[in-house]
Amino acid sequence: MERRDFMKKTALATSASVVLAGCASDASDSGPPTVQTGGPRLRWRLASSFSRSLDTIFKAAEVLADRVRQLTGERFDIRVYPAGELVPAFEVLESVQKATVQMGHSASYYYIGKNPALAFDCTVPFGLTARQFNAWAYHGSGQDLTQRMFADFNIMNFPGGNTGIQMGGWFNREIHSVADLRGLKMRIPGIGGRVMDRLGVTVQQIPSGEIYPALERGVIDAAEWVGPYDDEKLGFARVARHYYYPGWWEPGPNLSFYVSQAAWDRLPADYQHALEGATMEANMYMLSRYDALNPAAFKRLLDGGTEIHPFPEDVMQAAAESSRELLAEGTSDPAYAQIYDNYTEWQTDADWWFATAEHAYSDFRHRVPDRR
Ligand code: CA
């Protein structure tokens, strides 16, 4: 055999064995062989508004990225960056709008300064619960109406996770009536803060890392964050004993995935399908994850001496009234009025149904638990 032929055959044999070895290792290491779509290799960047420490929220974007990679034979690679690494937390929308990054994961109520109606893509005081929001988004007019708003920002938006109803926060003393709120210094951002302001609360804006020392030193009397799982990690129970519920200002905050319209339009149809499906998986992941983690954290907090209290009825009534007034103020703008009317009408019917069957059932289960 000529040396050249030998080299050629050896090279062929080697490449064949590499291919076979590749198949064998696919089959043994990671289940069935990966489907090769033959689509383009893409690398996108996703800017999150959240830090890794909010692991339940941050992870939702990683769930999305992992699934998109799997569905596209690893060809469509989305890298997830925590808040501040590529862009600051509250500039995610702008960054996607300018296509500095192809995707974002954020809360649309951060951007109500750009358009007050963006709140309806996330949550409003006394608004929809997580399940009601998903119903409105996927099966009502929600997705259609919010996508029309986001078209002004050259963004496609998709629901991207929910905390479920939040807690009303930590107070260093008991609240018996609206009168007790006057002059109370509370960390509460967003529209909830504006409502509390109308009830006489001195509203403070404090970043997450500074809430604990502010409570400890008495710079503030109360603070809200998320719910048992996230609140426990920040240690609030050590510096405020009274834990109020419900967090009526965030009854079902929906997070959103933002996709640059230009980047979306360049995606092959099968990549678009993969990405859209993955947003739904991330949405389910985050809510079910919170629902799995909160009960155990709640129990630990109660076992540790935290006292829970419902907000007094007059506080709930006054807050609901102020919220109604505040949300109705935007209706002089026809675009705001359209989404406000649709959301409100949807909620009226949804509340009636949920209060009837769901609430009656869970209320009975709570009052009369069985001891299996
Ligand atoms: Ca909150």
Side-chain angles (χ1 to χ4, degrees):
M1 188 187 291
E2 290 278 332
R3 179 177 159 77
R4 200 184 301 157
D5 283 347
F6 173 80
M7 293 292 283
K8 208 162 146 189
K9 280 179 182 160
T10 308
L12 280 172
T14 308
S15 59
S17 68
V18 166
V19 170
L20 286 170
C23 289
S25 96
D26 271 359
S28 61
D29 294 341
S30 54
T34 311
V35 175
Q36 297 296 321
T37 64
R41 288 197 182 278
L42 298 178
R43 178 170 286 190
W44 277 18
R45 299 190 301 172
L46 182 155
S48 174
S49 285
F50 310 101
S51 64
R52 287 185 193 280
S53 60
L54 276 167
D55 56 298
T56 309
I57 299 180
F58 185 79
K59 175 83 174 158
E62 293 187 320
V63 164
L64 167 126
D66 287 347
R67 184 64 76 211
V68 167
R69 273 191 291 274
Q70 287 175 348
L71 289 170
T72 59
E74 310 287 324
R75 286 166 182 270
F76 184 7
D77 184 26
I78 301 170
R79 295 285 167 91
V80 181
Y81 295 87
E85 213 162 280
L86 288 180
V87 291
F90 301 125
E91 290 175 24
V92 167
L93 186 148
E94 267 182 292
S95 302
V96 181
Q97 182 183 5
K98 292 177 185 158
T100 311
V101 292
Q102 292 86 358
M103 275 191 83
H105 190 217
S106 193
S108 297
Y109 66 3
Y110 293 156
Y111 310 105
I112 52 174
K114 296 175 189 293
N115 176 355
L118 285 174
F120 294 105
D121 185 54
C122 181
T123 193
V124 294
F126 296 94
L128 298 171
T129 65
R131 277 179 64 189
Q132 292 171 345
F133 182 91
N134 284 333
W136 180 64
Y138 292 134
H139 301 286
S141 304
Q143 188 70 331
D144 183 43
L145 288 169
T146 57
Q147 284 185 348
R148 262 187 257 170
M149 276 193 297
F150 276 100
D152 292 343
F153 299 95
N154 303 314
I155 282 174
M156 282 281 285
N157 63 297
F158 299 97
N162 204 306
T163 63
I165 188 159
Q166 299 196 355
M167 285 294 278
W170 300 83
F171 291 69
N172 64 8
R173 57 178 180 267
E174 283 192 61
I175 302 299
H176 300 289
S177 70
V178 176
D180 289 343
L181 293 177
R182 296 204 184 102
L184 184 102
K185 297 189 290 291
M186 180 174 187
R187 183 268 180 197
I188 172 170
I191 308 176
R194 289 170 61 190
V195 175
M196 281 295 200
D197 177 67
R198 291 182 179 203
L199 301 184
V201 169
T202 305
V203 173
Q204 311 275 316
Q205 307 293 344
I206 298 176
S208 63
E210 294 166 31
I211 303 174
Y212 179 93
L215 260 180
E216 188 181 34
R217 292 200 312 269
V219 174
I220 53 174
D221 306 304
E224 74 86 48
W225 181 233
V226 183
Y229 177 68
D230 291 317
D231 292 7
E232 184 188 36
K233 283 189 289 183
L234 294 189
F236 300 144
R238 293 197 295 275
V239 285
R241 180 197 293 186
H242 305 285
Y243 199 19
Y244 275 80
Y245 64 91
W248 45 261
W249 49 93
E250 292 183 282
N254 168 70
L255 304 186
S256 297
F257 287 112
Y258 301 152
V259 184
S260 145
Q261 186 70 54
W264 174 263
D265 291 343
R266 285 196 298 271
L267 285 181
D270 53 346
Y271 284 22
Q272 288 181 346
H273 296 319
L275 182 53
E276 186 171 4
T279 65
M280 295 176 95
E281 182 174 342
N283 193 22
M284 172 57 86
Y285 166 85
M286 185 176 139
L287 180 62
S288 59
R289 187 85 180 133
Y290 268 113
D291 285 343
L293 295 169
N294 275 329
F298 189 49
K299 190 164 182 299
R300 283 192 299 273
L301 289 169
L302 296 189
D303 288 348
T306 290
E307 291 180 25
I308 55 161
H309 313 275
F311 281 118
E313 179 70 15
D314 78 321
V315 169
M316 293 295 287
Q317 294 281 359
E321 186 57 35
S322 286
S323 300
R324 252 194 308 278
E325 286 170 13
L326 199 146
L327 291 173
E329 284 170 7
T331 52
S332 51
D333 170 37
Y336 180 99
Q338 188 188 21
I339 194 163
Y340 171 89
D341 290 343
N342 186 272
Y343 185 99
T344 307
E345 195 180 328
W346 183 272
Q347 184 174 9
T348 303
D349 292 346
D351 278 348
W352 184 50
W353 160 240
F354 274 81
T356 302
E358 194 77 22
H359 177 74
Y361 174 73
S362 63
D363 180 57
F364 178 82
R365 289 283 305 170
H366 186 58
R367 284 186 295 110
V368 190
D370 62 31
R371 302 289 177 204
R372 280 177 290 203

